[in-house]
């Protein structure tokens, strides 16, 4: 017996070997296992690592080559629809799903998710939400179709119940139609069956279907109906005639095509929304796309990159207690959907990108289309499986519970009427070697913007920018004979602006950018900018003209600030409904202020600062009007307060504008302004609007400090530096101004101050009393000194790209620039020694070529 | 004119005699009474504007004149309505006109005391706040005292009955406030209800 067993074993081994050789011969090169993978680690550990390396370097059996170019190879496994891309430069394979999913002990019963490419969340008409994945609902059932496309492949998944069922049998049918369409056409045997399955009711003269419990009975009946030639159209008519709701017959089947193709050094993944089908009664709420693309096991080395604020990285590893997933909507929250509670104060996601670095390779994703619908999600291993993931999901149908007043809670749920019909497109780039890190990703994105949107390299100026924002007029309660009214209080008149400029120039400050806030249309609570009314209190038209002339004569760039996306609440009166966006329950969309203590909407600030959201369809009209009026002043530059950093949809019943369309409209208007006015200053510019900007203020310098995030990285700055001048937060409004100044040095930004000419007492008792610390005389000397110090350090790197950023020690950061210039900043209150270089407390040092 | 002023001062010093003359000798004038109310409002505004910095609890905030009107008129109207409703049932002899006049004439000490007091605050130190408070409260006590005697005289009540009537007046003032509060909240509830029906109809149909 024993001998036979050995022979059997040998035979099995032999067959396996042949199989292996054959499969590798078909699929391409076989890579040898990396033997020095684990170093001195334990035997056990070594095995795990070797297994992983073999997976990432060797193509899985069953994968077939679809497309190939000089940089990449695209493979698909037709059984599991797993797609892999090989970066030819390093040989690294990037799978849509982790190949070793079976060995994941943490996933337990959750392995379907590991094997799926799409997760669909749909809702029914009562607002109940269900999540399905395309492995269990499509791949396993064999409900998918693979079609070749140019340079790639298209997989069309049908999720859910595609086969016919009980809902295809009429529930109720009139006697006349029953006889004519079905009964008369059936043979004798079938007629018996029909009589058994349907019962005739005299009342109303209808046939009603009896309860059917077995699958066999359903198929039998369906066959009879088919033979009789009873069609879907007939069914629909019977349902309509007899008042059967469509929901009772709707089939939960979703068709989603997923295209992959190679475009030079990128792989592009696209979902054409026009080909996505779903039952009307079950709208797709959102879809996770390639959740496990490049997912990394927690024992691997590397990190996830997320564009939270300036950017942040999450090191691979297991999650810890209290950690949550990172989840953030691209371009911030949509204020057309009422958020009744806001618990976190967080940074905005301004760039629709994310990345993952594994060992010596990195994968970088850019959402090209559908970016405004996207949310970026990242999670550490250990929650439901052993993989670190970062991916995007897309909101298609927005829904919201509609509260009808009164004490009775009513369950009406409203849905977005019209959804986005363009494409969802994600472009993956693969980096290796020295580029395989977030710096490489930033440079990749920079090049991408340069190539695609013609972002231009900056010409070096003689000094770094000094951006000063002045507040023009604010609302203040005034009284006439003891009768109160809201009047305007001038904080900095046009003439006083000239004075500030003169003082700055006198102190030797160059490259001044003057951002004028609250300079027209009732000041800070600016009315709709379809015309420009200069405040008389600030000096009127003649005063403004003098300011413009002075600025132009002395080389100061003037950026008068305009707000487009929101409208003052007391502004529109009768025409309100023409101009403002609506929420899902048809209320006026409003931007709220939240109370940090109660999380709720702040009623006091609601009265004071809340503004209506402009309907996106009106934006082009408003912008055109503004440009027309603005051109008269011949300024050639303008600052956009909210265009390009906020996106709000409009759920108006007749005129729904989805978020992506709203965003595209905004981008188009930024372009329009760029072409007709000239230089643009953006407030927190987001992705596609950045190439139009010449200057960015309030560039995020921090991440949101979620506990899952390990480190802040200056990704945003790396993308901009050398191309667009930027500044962070106003230094004088920071809680620690010295720190803010050091941060400006660290992040290579210019100096930014927010000033007013009046004494602090001018804002006392107004709604703007938080501006108490911005009197310009108090800050002048320090600002000039800071400017000179910063200019000394940053003057020479203005037009150089940032090539690296690293933490040297606690509170000590080094930023590298092209041409081996680096700047080390010490935030500590004690001097430090870094590699023999001593840096004074709260100071910085510039080094050329390591000196 | 001079007579009216003299009569007002007479009431302040000899209330029972004065109110009797006002009611039964026809010496009171409605015009004079309303002038006193206006002067009271003026007193409050004056106080608001002129009070010395040390004694000004409003930190120099801007004056809301409409609020000053409300502050004086609202309690007077409320008191008069409540008192009239009670006394007509409790066989008081005063007519509505008499009640209003008595209430208005009773305000006189407020004017007499507070105007000089406001001027004085500009010359006093914070240590002397006790005197200010004393005089301030004195004017109020005097007002209440006059009001009490005025109501008593006008309706020809005994002292104990007046005390009883005053308490009832306070209760009925509270009831009036309560009912008007209910009325307004109910009204908003009804409009909300109608709006909800409209909304539900548009959503479900």
């Amino acid at each position: 017996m024993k001998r036979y067993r050995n022979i059997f074993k040998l035979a099995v081994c032999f067959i396996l070997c042949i199989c292996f050789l054959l499969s590798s011969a078909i699929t391409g090169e076989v890579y040898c296992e990396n033997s020095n993978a684990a170093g001195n680690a334990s035997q056990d550990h070594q095995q795990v690592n070797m297994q992983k390396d073999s997976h990432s370097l060797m193509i899985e059996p069953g994968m077939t080559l679809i497309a190939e170019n000089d940089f990449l190879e695209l493979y698909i496994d037709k059984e599991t629809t797993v797609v892999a891309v090989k970066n030819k430069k390093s040989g690294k394979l990037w799978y849509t799903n982790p190949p070793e999913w079976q060995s994941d002990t943490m996933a337990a019963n959750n392995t379907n998710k590991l094997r799926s490419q799409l997760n669909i969340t749909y809702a029914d008409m009562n607002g109940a939400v269900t999540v399905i994945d395309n492995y269990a609902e499509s791949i396993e059932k064999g409900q998918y179709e693979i079609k070749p496309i140019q340079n790639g492949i298209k997989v069309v998944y049908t999720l859910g119940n595609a086969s016919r069922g009980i809902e295809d049998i009429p529930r109720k049918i009139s006697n006349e139609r029953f006889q004519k369409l079905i009964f008369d056409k059936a043979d004798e045997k079938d007629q018996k069956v029909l009589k058994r399955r349907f019962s005739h009711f005299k009342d109303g003269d209808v046939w009603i279907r009896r309860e059917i419990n077995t699958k066999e009975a359903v198929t039998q009946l369906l066959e009879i109906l088919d033979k009789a030639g009873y069609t879907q159209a007939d069914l629909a008519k019977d349902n309509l005639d007899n008042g059967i709701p469509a929901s009772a017959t709707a089939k939960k089947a979703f068709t989603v095509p997923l295209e992959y193709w190679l475009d030079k050094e990128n792989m592009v993944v696209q979902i054409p929304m026009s080909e996505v089908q779903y039952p009307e009664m079950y709208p797709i709420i959102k879809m996770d796309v390639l959740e496990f693309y490049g997912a990394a096991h927690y024992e691997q080395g590397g990190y996830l990159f997320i564009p939270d604020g300036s950017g942040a990285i999450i090191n691979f590893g297991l999650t810890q207690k209290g950690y949550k997933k990172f989840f953030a909507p691209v371009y911030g929250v949509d204020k057309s959907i009422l958020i009744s509670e806001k618990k976190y104060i967080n940074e905005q996601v301004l760039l629709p990108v994310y990345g993952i670095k594994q060992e010596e390779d990195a994968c970088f994703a850019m959402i090209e289309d559908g970016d405004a619908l996207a949310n970026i999600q990242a999670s550490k291993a250990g929650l439901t499986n052993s993989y670190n993931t970062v991916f995007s999901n897309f909101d298609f149908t927005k829904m919201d519970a509609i509260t009808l007043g009164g004490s009775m809670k009513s369950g009406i749920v409203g849905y977005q009427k019209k959804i986005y019909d363009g494409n969802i497109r994600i472009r993956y780039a693969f980096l290796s070697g020295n580029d395989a890190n977030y710096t490489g990703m930033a440079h990749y994105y920079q090049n991408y913007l340069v190539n695609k949107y013609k972002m231009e390299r900056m010409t070096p100026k003689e000094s770094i920018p000094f951006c000063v924002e002045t507040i023009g007029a604010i609302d203040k309660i005034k009284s006439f004979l003891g009768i109160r009214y809201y009047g305007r209080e001038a904080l900095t008149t046009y003439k006083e602006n000239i004075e500030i400029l003169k003082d700055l120039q006198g102190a030797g400050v160059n490259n001044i950018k003057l951002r004028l806030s609250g300079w027209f249309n009732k000041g800070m609570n600016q009315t709709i900018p379809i015309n420009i009314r200069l405040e008389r209190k600030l000096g009127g038209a003649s005063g403004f003209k003098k300011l413009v002339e002075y600025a132009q004569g002395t080389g100061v760039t003037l950026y008068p600030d305009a707000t487009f996306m929101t409208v003052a609440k007391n502004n529109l009166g009768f025409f309100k409904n023409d101009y403002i966006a609506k929420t899902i329950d048809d209320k006026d969309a409003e931007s709220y202020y939240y109370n940090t203590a109660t999380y709720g909407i702040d009623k006091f600030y609601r009265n004071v600062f809340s503004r209506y959201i402009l309907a996106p369809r009106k934006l082009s009209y408003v912008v055109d009007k503004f440009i027309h009026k603005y051109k008269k002043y011949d300024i050639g530059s303008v600052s956009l307060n909210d265009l390009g950093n906020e996106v709000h949809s409009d759920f108006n019943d007749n005129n729904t504008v989805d978020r992506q369309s709203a965003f595209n409209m905004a981008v188009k208007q930024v372009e329009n302004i760029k072409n007709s006015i000239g230089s643009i200053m953006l407030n927190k510019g987001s992705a596609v609007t950045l190439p139009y900007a010449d200057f960015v203020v309030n560039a995020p310098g921090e991440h949101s400090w979620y506990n899952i995030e390990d480190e802040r990285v200056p990704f945003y700055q790396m993308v901009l530096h050398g191309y667009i001048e930027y500044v962070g937060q106003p230094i004088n409004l920071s809680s620690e101004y010295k720190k803010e100044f050091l941060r400006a040095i660290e992040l290579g930004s210019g100096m930014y101050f927010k000033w007013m000419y009046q004494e602090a007492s001018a804002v006392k008792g107004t709604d703007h009393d938080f501006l108490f610390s911005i009197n310009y005389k108090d800050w002048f000397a320090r600002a000039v000194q800071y400017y000179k110090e910063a200019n000394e350090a940053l003057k020479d790197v203005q037009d150089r790209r940032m090539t690296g950023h690293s933490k040297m020690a606690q509170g000590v950061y080094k930023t590298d620039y092209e041409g081996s210039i680096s700047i080390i900043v010490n935030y500590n209150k004690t001097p430090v020694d870094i590699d023999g270089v001593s840096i004074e407390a709260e100071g910085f040092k510039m080094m050329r070529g390591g000196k | 004119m001079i007579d009216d002023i003299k009569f007002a001062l007479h009431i302040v010093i000899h209330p029972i005699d004065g109110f009797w003359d006002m009611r039964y000798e026809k010496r009171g004038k409605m015009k004079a009474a309303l002038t006193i109310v206006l002067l009271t409002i003026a007193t409050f505004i004056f106080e608001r504007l002129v009070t010395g910095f040390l004694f000004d609890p409003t930190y120099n905030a801007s004056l809301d004149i409409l609020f000053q009107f409300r502050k004086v008129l609202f309690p007077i109207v409320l008191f008069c309505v409540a008192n009239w409703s009670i006394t007509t049932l409790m066989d008081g002899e005063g007519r509505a006109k008499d009640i209003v006049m008595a209430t208005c004439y009773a305000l006189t000490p407020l004017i007499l005391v507070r105007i000089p007091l406001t001027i004085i605050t500009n010359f006093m130190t914070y240590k002397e706040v006790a005197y200010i408070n004393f005089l301030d409260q004195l004017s109020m006590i005097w007002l209440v005292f006059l009001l009490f005697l005025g109501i008593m005289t006008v309706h020809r009540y005994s002292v104990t009955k007046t005390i009883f009537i005053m308490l009832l007046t306070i209760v009925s003032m509270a009831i009036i406030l309560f009912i008007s509060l209910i009325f307004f909240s109910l009204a908003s509830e009804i409009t909300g209800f109608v709006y909800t029906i409209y909304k539900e109809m548009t959503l479900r149909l």
Side-chain angles (χ1 to χ4, degrees), chain A residues 431-695:
Chain A
L431 310 166
S432 58
N434 286 337
D435 288 333
N437 49 39
Y438 67 85
T439 318
M441 294 178 196
H443 288 164
Y444 196 91
Y445 192 58
Q446 199 175 45
N447 286 333
Y448 172 79
L449 290 178
V450 168
N451 293 332
K452 191 161 179 201
Y453 299 97
K454 307 280 171 278
M455 189 164 78
E456 279 166 34
R457 191 89 190 210
M458 207 176 85
T459 45
K461 309 232 167 70
E462 54 183 319
S463 56
I464 61 161
F466 184 93
C467 180
V468 52
E469 176 180 351
T470 57
I471 310 283
I474 56 166
D475 283 341
K476 184 175 188 173
I477 293 174
K478 298 189 166 179
S479 72
F480 174 73
L481 293 179
I483 296 165
R484 290 182 179 198
Y485 65 99
Y486 266 100
R488 230 72 59 221
E489 174 87 359
L491 297 185
T492 318
T493 64
Y494 304 134
K495 207 177 155 192
E496 287 159 356
N497 271 310
I498 299 181
E499 230 170 286
I500 293 177
L501 289 179
K502 273 182 183 160
D503 281 355
L504 284 172
Q505 285 159 342
V509 177
N510 290 315
N511 197 2
I512 302 172
K513 316 276 175 191
L514 178 60
R515 183 180 187 214
L516 292 176
S517 287
W519 60 282
F520 77 123
N521 285 16
K522 298 194 173 176
M524 289 304 276
N525 196 9
Q526 182 212 304
T527 57
I528 193 160
I530 45 181
N531 48 19
I532 295 175
R533 264 171 287 130
L534 295 165
E535 278 306 318
R536 204 180 305 137
K537 282 246 165 79
L538 297 179
S542 63
F544 188 64
K545 215 172 152 194
K546 269 183 204 147
L547 172 61
V548 174
E549 274 164 14
Y550 180 83
Q552 280 165 351
T554 52
V556 172
T557 329
L558 200 61
Y559 286 105
D561 189 64
T563 302
F564 291 97
M565 309 277 268
T566 57
V567 187
K569 278 179 95 174
N570 53 4
N571 180 201
L572 296 164
F574 197 62
F575 301 103
K576 196 177 84 179
N577 286 342
D578 289 351
Y579 281 98
I580 57 175
K582 296 279 181 187
T583 61
I584 289 173
D585 54 349
D586 209 31
K587 287 187 179 135
D588 304 334
E590 214 178 311
S591 71
Y592 294 104
Y593 280 75
Y594 294 88
N595 188 317
T596 31
T598 63
Y599 306 144
I601 292 166
D602 196 308
K603 289 215 174 104
F604 170 73
Y605 280 105
R606 185 178 175 189
N607 291 334
V608 176
F609 289 123
S610 266
R611 292 163 67 85
Y612 287 133
I613 310 266
L614 182 78
R617 63 173 193 280
K618 276 283 172 187
L619 185 65
S620 70
Y621 168 76
V622 175
V623 169
D624 284 342
K625 280 266 185 184
F626 175 77
I627 291 173
H628 178 69
K629 304 269 161 143
Y630 189 77
K631 272 185 159 174
K632 272 188 231 160
Y633 299 101
D634 201 21
I635 301 171
S637 48
V638 68
S639 160
L640 308 177
N641 187 28
D642 51 5
L643 264 186
N645 75 53
E646 287 180 24
V647 200
H648 312 297
S649 6
D650 182 3
F651 299 108
N652 194 327
D653 277 359
N654 311 319
N655 242 322
T656 305
V657 177
D658 63 80
R659 193 169 145 90
Q660 183 65 42
S661 310
F663 181 67
N664 294 346
M665 288 174 189
V667 173
K668 214 175 130 200
Q669 290 316 314
V670 174
E671 192 185 355
N672 184 8
I673 293 171
K674 171 86 187 166
N675 293 338
S676 21
I677 293 179
S679 180
I680 285 183
M681 173 188 273
L682 284 182
N683 179 17
K684 293 191 218 166
S686 65
V688 190
T689 58
L690 281 177
Y692 302 112
D694 292 284
F695 201 88

Side-chain angles (χ1 to χ4, degrees), chain A residues 404 410 412 481-484, chain B residues 62-65 196 200 204:
Chain A
L404 299 166
S410 179
I412 298 186
L481 293 179
I483 296 165
R484 290 182 179 198
Chain B
S62 70
L63 166 77
D64 186 354
I65 209 161
T196 309
E200 186 153 8
R204 296 229 206 233

Side-chain angles (χ1 to χ4, degrees), chain A residues 105-245:
Chain A
T105 47
M106 283 182 192
N109 303 323
N110 213 1
T111 50
N112 281 348
K113 226 180 160 196
L114 285 177
R115 308 178 70 183
S116 56
Q117 289 83 34
L118 300 165
N119 296 318
I120 291 178
T121 308
Y122 67 86
D124 63 13
M125 283 296 126
N126 297 322
V129 164
T130 317
V131 187
I132 52 175
D133 61 74
N134 79 330
Y135 182 77
E137 295 290 328
S138 167
I139 301 170
E140 211 173 32
K141 291 179 178 174
Q143 294 172 173
Y144 63 91
E145 213 181 322
I146 299 177
K147 297 174 190 166
I149 54 170
Q150 204 186 355
N151 282 330
I153 201 151
K154 176 176 184 175
V155 189
V156 182
Y157 297 103
T158 304
L159 285 81
N161 197 359
S163 62
R164 298 172 66 203
I166 193 158
E167 53 288 337
D168 292 295
I169 303 166
R171 262 205 212 174
K172 206 176 183 186
I173 181 166
S174 67
N175 188 27
E176 189 202 334
R177 279 174 66 82
F178 182 72
Q179 299 289 354
K180 201 178 92 193
L181 291 173
I182 307 168
F183 199 75
D184 293 349
K185 292 181 183 171
D187 57 34
E188 215 168 294
K189 202 180 105 207
D190 291 345
Q191 279 180 351
K192 265 185 193 165
V193 178
L194 281 169
K195 273 191 173 167
R196 201 165 66 235
R197 293 298 171 200
F198 289 88
S199 49
H200 184 241
F201 279 76
K202 291 258 160 47
D203 179 27
D205 199 21
V206 288
W207 290 81
I208 289 175
R209 188 184 78 207
R210 293 205 176 100
E211 276 306 305
I212 304 175
N213 296 321
T214 59
K215 228 177 183 175
E216 290 73 30
V218 172
T219 29
Q220 190 189 18
L221 254 182
L222 281 172
E223 271 170 29
I224 294 170
L225 288 177
D226 282 347
K227 262 192 273 175
Y230 185 80
T231 61
Q232 286 288 323
D234 291 327
L235 175 71
K237 189 176 177 341
D238 283 323
N239 282 335
L240 195 73
D241 288 350
N242 295 300
I244 309 284

Side-chain angles (χ1 to χ4, degrees), chain A residues 325-356:
Chain A
K325 285 179 179 175
F326 171 81
F327 179 92
V330 174
Y331 313 140
V333 291
D334 195 319
K335 287 181 182 164
S336 292
I337 291 171
L338 177 74
I339 300 161
S340 50
E341 256 187 12
K342 190 183 171 193
K343 292 195 176 178
Y344 306 102
I345 296 172
N346 41 16
E347 291 287 337
Q348 206 174 327
V349 171
L350 294 171
L351 306 175
V353 299
Y354 50 90
I356 187 160

